Amino acid sequence: MDAAMVTAIAALIGGPVAGLAAMYGTRGANRAQREGTALTGYNSLTDQLQEERKELRAELAQARLELATERAEVTRLKLLVQQLGGDA
């Protein structure tokens, strides 16, 4: 076997092997990209949920403050009614 024959055989074997390696590498890259996209989406969703939770906690605190204010006003008005001789 001369050098030209060895080179031709190497080229015939190397081409499909290189193609398979490229295909396998692309599959791995695609999987990594999908996983990266999933993680990015998960992180984005988590951030949105945490922001909504923070807003809801603020709304709840405000509602509790308003409720306490209303209860204090009701108590004040009941006391005023009693002082004026009415039934509370």
Side-chain angles (χ1 to χ4, degrees):
M1 235 194 259
D2 60 348
M5 179 68 95
V6 171
T7 303
I9 291 173
L12 289 173
I13 293 173
V17 169
L20 289 173
M23 196 168 66
Y24 180 76
T26 302
R27 282 182 33 197
N30 288 341
R31 183 177 61 216
Q33 182 180 8
R34 281 193 310 269
E35 289 173 0
T37 302
L39 287 176
T40 301
Y42 176 78
N43 287 337
S44 176
L45 179 60
T46 301
D47 290 343
Q48 288 175 357
L49 290 173
Q50 288 175 344
E51 187 64 31
E52 287 178 17
R53 185 176 181 180
K54 182 180 175 183
E55 292 172 5
L56 289 173
R57 284 180 184 250
E59 286 180 27
L60 179 60
Q62 181 64 31
R64 286 179 174 167
L65 178 63
E66 290 174 8
L67 179 60
T69 303
E70 294 294 327
R71 285 180 176 169
E73 180 67 12
V74 167
T75 301
R76 187 188 70 79
L77 290 173
K78 284 182 178 181
L79 181 60
L80 183 61
V81 167
Q82 286 178 351
Q83 288 175 348
L84 294 174
D87 290 333

